[in-house]
Amino acid sequence: MIEFNDVSKQYKDGTYAVKSFNAVINKGEFFVIIGPSGSGKTTTLKMINRLIELSGGTISINGQKISEYDIHELRWNIGYVLQQIALFPNMNIEENIAVVPELKKWNRETIKQRVNELLEMVGLDPEIYRERKPHELSGGQQQRIGVVRALAADPEMILMDEPFSALDPMTKVKLQDDMLDLQRRIQKTIVFVTHDIQEALKLGDRICIMNNGEIVQIGTPDDILYHPANDFVRDFVGVQEGITNEKMNLEDIVQQTEVAPSNPFETVSVTTSLQEILDKLTHHDQVFAERNGEMIGVINRQAFIQYLAEHVQKRGHMNE
Ligand code: ADP
């Protein structure tokens, strides 16, 4: 558990990069921090592993202030993944992954097993990849190594700073899917910075929206979409303008059901606008879907949010 208590960061020139940040990130939670450029996301992240010192307030991990931890122990026990994969170019993949286990003086055999296990976990055959140099891997493969390196010594939590933003769209989606799958299996506490609302909706258990160093809203994807705290959030999510104009066939997310529609359920056409479905789902957990007058199943709110996260383009991309 990570607890922020009135945390702030003020620079010498008077700029508040982060102001009165209060939040509790639960064990095993996928916590996404999102906001426009300069809103304080990276500063917040780097204060957790003390890459940036706080100027006010406290951050505690499992009930102990981060200032009371030995700084090396603290950093070794928190995995860290950056946008620009900082793999060591002259070291092979095995050596790159083994950096923290080596620092922790694990024995050779344990390290080797761990490297194999991690490479297999992200679908890279150890026999092929263990001895390659970073430049012999694609961008997506290098980023996978960046992720497993952060996991190498089995840290309880992982900080990720726009880890997928430099990747092409297809690789990005693949790594997001892998990340979700990985998280289901390993249940780490993940703090993930992004400026991409689709990514946030797809990955986050909760999303923290920041602006000008302050938290604007913390909530589940559902909260953010259906109960935006203010116009900033509404605009940031871009729901209104982004989806009003889009007409899509929603048959992919319609779930077959044997249950006959009954009041007070709403019915929508699968070819209607996303905005209309969104509006109806504001008041109902699910709506019935019909095609050409024939009832074909239900659309539930969760499936719809997932659909938005994956299909609606250009929403919430601030000027970065
Ligand atoms: P984000 O990650 O959301 O893009 P940052 O956390 O990097 O934002 O930065 C937050 C704010 O702090 C920005 O306005 C940035 O200009 C400012 N900032 C960052 N580093 C310094 C510094 N060394 N001195 C003064 N201001 C800084």
Side-chain angles (χ1 to χ4, degrees):
M1 187 177 82
I2 310 173
E3 197 171 348
F4 292 82
N5 222 312
D6 213 19
V7 171
S8 63
K9 176 66 194 179
Q10 187 178 27
Y11 284 105
K12 287 196 187 71
D13 63 3
T15 318
Y16 269 102
V18 175
K19 232 183 288 178
S20 298
F21 193 102
N22 286 291
V24 175
I25 301 174
N26 301 309
K27 189 169 160 48
E29 184 172 30
F30 203 124
F31 190 85
V32 175
I33 303 178
I34 188 166
S37 186
S39 57
K41 306 182 295 291
T42 297
T43 304
T44 303
L45 197 74
K46 286 184 170 174
M47 287 194 288
I48 299 172
N49 64 0
R50 288 173 54 190
L51 285 173
I52 294 180
E53 291 295 330
L54 286 66
S55 43
T58 54
I59 299 178
S60 303
I61 293 180
N62 297 332
Q64 185 177 333
K65 286 185 194 159
I66 54 170
S67 54
E68 291 166 358
Y69 283 89
D70 172 82
I71 190 146
H72 301 296
E73 287 289 332
L74 181 82
R75 296 216 181 123
W76 295 348
N77 291 320
I78 302 179
Y80 187 41
V81 187
L82 293 159
Q83 176 185 345
Q84 296 303 340
I85 339 97
L87 296 180
F88 300 107
N90 298 322
M91 286 163 46
N92 69 24
I93 296 308
E94 174 163 22
E95 290 160 342
N96 264 286
I97 296 174
V99 170
V100 176
E102 292 276 0
L103 288 168
K104 288 186 146 187
K105 304 203 187 324
W106 289 15
N107 76 49
R108 210 135 279 287
E109 198 45 41
T110 313
I111 292 180
K112 199 174 171 78
Q113 277 174 14
R114 180 69 179 151
V115 169
N116 286 350
E117 180 185 308
L118 289 163
L119 284 173
E120 279 165 9
M121 199 149 90
V122 289
L124 296 171
D125 183 349
E127 292 306 316
I128 298 174
Y129 290 97
R130 203 169 36 219
E131 292 184 3
R132 285 206 184 168
K133 290 283 174 56
H135 76 267
E136 295 170 308
L137 270 61
S138 72
Q141 289 171 334
Q142 290 187 34
Q143 204 59 14
R144 283 196 172 84
I145 302 300
V147 173
V148 297
R149 183 173 65 175
L151 292 169
D154 208 18
E156 200 180 313
M157 53 193 70
I158 310 167
L159 311 180
M160 306 183 86
D161 197 348
E162 307 227 14
F164 308 141
S165 62
L167 303 172
D168 65 85
M170 270 175 60
T171 310
K172 180 174 177 166
V173 167
K174 178 80 181 72
L175 263 75
Q176 289 168 345
D177 291 343
D178 288 355
M179 197 64 224
L180 274 178
D181 188 45
L182 199 62
Q183 170 63 355
R184 278 188 202 111
R185 285 183 282 150
I186 60 178
Q187 293 286 304
K188 302 289 181 188
T189 307
I190 299 178
V191 189
F192 189 106
V193 165
T194 182
H195 64 274
D196 176 348
I197 188 71
Q198 274 177 269
E199 184 164 75
L201 292 169
K202 178 169 176 177
L203 298 178
D205 291 318
R206 282 189 304 157
I207 298 170
C208 168
I209 300 189
M210 294 186 74
N211 191 29
N212 293 327
E214 294 183 281
I215 297 173
V216 186
Q217 183 170 9
I218 297 182
T220 60
D222 194 287
D223 291 334
I224 301 289
L225 279 171
Y226 291 100
H227 308 286
N230 56 26
D231 286 346
F232 177 81
V233 175
R234 200 170 289 119
D235 291 348
F236 192 75
V237 176
V239 166
Q240 304 211 302
E241 155 202 21
I243 72 177
T244 316
N245 304 325
E246 245 166 296
K247 277 191 188 289
M248 283 182 176
N249 198 328
L250 286 163
E251 294 192 28
D252 288 355
I253 60 163
V254 172
Q255 291 166 1
Q256 305 300 322
T257 173
E258 298 300 315
V259 184
S262 60
N263 289 328
F265 287 114
E266 293 268 6
T267 302
V268 295
S269 159
V270 289
T271 53
T272 193
S273 74
L274 297 183
Q275 182 66 54
E276 187 192 337
I277 297 176
L278 181 73
D279 288 345
K280 292 200 167 155
L281 283 170
T282 306
H283 307 293
H284 304 277
D285 287 338
Q286 55 183 34
V287 292
F288 282 95
E290 57 92 14
R291 184 184 49 222
N292 303 328
E294 184 196 347
M295 214 54 73
I296 58 168
V298 297
I299 297 173
N300 75 44
R301 201 191 270 187
Q302 211 49 47
F304 184 68
I305 290 173
Q306 195 62 35
Y307 180 88
L308 286 183
E310 284 166 14
H311 291 82
V312 180
Q313 300 296 321
K314 295 196 293 269
R315 292 176 311 117
H317 284 266
M318 303 301 273
N319 309 319
E320 285 229 353

